[in-house]
Amino acid sequence: MANTLLMPKATAVWLVDNTALSFDQIAQFCGLHPLEVKAIADGESAQGIKGMDPVITGQLSREEIARGERDINHRLKLSEPKVRVPESKRKGPRYTPLSKRQDRPNAILWLVRNHPELKDAQISRLVGTTKSTIEQIRERKHWNSANLAPMDPVTLGLCSQIDLDIEVQRASHNRPPAAPTGDTLLPASLTERLEPAAEGHHEEEEKELDANAVFAKLSSLKSKHEDDEDEDDHHRH
């Protein structure tokens, strides 16, 4: 990041009010015209702008100001920043060097096969390609499909392992959980319910048995009662 003065006009206001520097020196340091600095001094320009102390912001040292006040020909220099902020990279498709562009279709084929959950936009971010190219490779309609071989984009140097892991993780978050296949352990919530369910089933069986026993007893009592009545009738005759 280029070392530039913050808020040049506010800095000029402060230097005019608080130093004996010449208009030319202030103009040169703040990137303004000397007449504009004179207008600031006369109160004709920058009205309402609060002066900003460049010493507090670490952009100018007191020694540098004193040197300029002693020597009218001294050109003020910006102090070196204590922290350098890296310039933000332009957002856009990943640039792929010419030497690696021939490997890009192989990398796309690898991603399509090994990570079908990845969206086209994610593949584009990883290897710097277009949606139409991804679709052609996925549907085997690419002009060079017969010669393509799936190759890991990390090995090819088209993207880092961290970038790939991040995109795969994002895709897996948005994907519904897959149904279990084969013999898998039952979740605890299901196994915990097995015992009470079995007990309930056992109780139902017992109830059924009890009901059968009651009906059997009733029918036996009924038949016994009928037998007794038959005997009484016999004795009467």
Side-chain angles (χ1 to χ4, degrees):
M1 182 181 171
N3 190 15
T4 53
L5 180 69
L6 300 170
M7 298 175 69
K9 216 161 206 181
T11 303
V13 170
W14 189 90
L15 290 170
V16 165
D17 293 342
N18 296 280
T19 69
L21 293 166
S22 71
F23 294 162
D24 285 337
Q25 285 173 311
I26 296 170
Q28 170 266 315
F29 181 71
C30 298
L32 302 172
H33 194 279
L35 290 176
E36 197 172 354
V37 177
K38 185 180 181 301
I40 290 170
D42 293 342
E44 294 169 6
S45 175
Q47 287 178 338
I49 294 179
K50 189 182 176 188
M52 190 175 78
D53 184 351
V55 177
I56 290 173
T57 59
Q59 294 209 296
L60 190 62
S61 65
R62 294 228 173 257
E63 293 77 21
E64 190 68 9
I65 292 171
R67 203 174 291 128
E69 288 173 328
R70 284 195 303 270
D71 179 7
I72 199 166
N73 295 316
H74 179 71
R75 291 170 74 84
L76 298 170
K77 289 186 186 123
L78 269 171
S79 301
E80 279 294 313
K82 289 175 185 172
V83 177
R84 283 200 175 273
V85 180
E87 287 185 50
S88 60
K89 289 182 182 175
R90 184 176 62 85
K91 292 256 181 185
R94 182 185 291 275
Y95 174 74
T96 309
L98 282 167
S99 59
K100 291 179 180 174
R101 277 181 204 179
Q102 58 191 9
D103 294 326
R104 197 156 49 184
N106 294 330
I108 295 166
L109 183 61
W110 187 92
L111 288 167
V112 165
R113 284 193 183 174
N114 291 280
H115 295 288
E117 71 275 15
L118 288 175
K119 292 178 180 173
D120 290 356
Q122 292 179 297
I123 296 172
S124 293
R125 275 201 297 272
L126 287 169
V127 297
T129 186
T130 61
K131 193 174 180 180
S132 61
T133 306
I134 298 165
E135 283 176 1
Q136 285 167 10
I137 291 169
R138 187 181 277 124
E139 294 166 14
R140 306 294 289 174
K141 290 178 182 174
H142 190 264
W143 65 271
N144 198 25
S145 283
N147 301 317
L148 293 183
M151 294 176 80
D152 186 348
V154 177
T155 309
L156 291 170
L158 290 169
C159 69
S160 70
Q161 187 64 52
I162 293 168
D163 288 338
L164 178 59
D165 291 344
I166 288 168
E167 295 297 352
V168 169
Q169 200 173 1
R170 274 184 192 156
S172 61
H173 277 316
N174 299 329
R175 195 172 57 166
T181 53
D183 295 331
T184 54
L185 288 171
L186 286 169
S189 56
L190 287 177
T191 54
E192 282 168 6
R193 287 186 199 144
L194 285 175
E195 203 174 328
E199 282 178 10
H201 185 61
H202 186 58
E203 283 174 14
E204 281 176 15
E205 280 184 357
E206 282 186 355
K207 280 180 188 173
E208 207 174 308
L209 287 170
D210 290 345
N212 289 337
V214 169
F215 284 125
K217 196 171 183 184
L218 281 170
S219 59
S220 66
L221 283 170
K222 191 177 178 186
S223 60
K224 191 181 176 188
H225 182 64
E226 284 173 355
D227 289 344
D228 288 345
E229 282 184 349
D230 288 342
E231 278 182 21
D232 288 342
D233 290 339
H234 183 67
H235 284 307
R236 282 196 198 110
H237 290 299

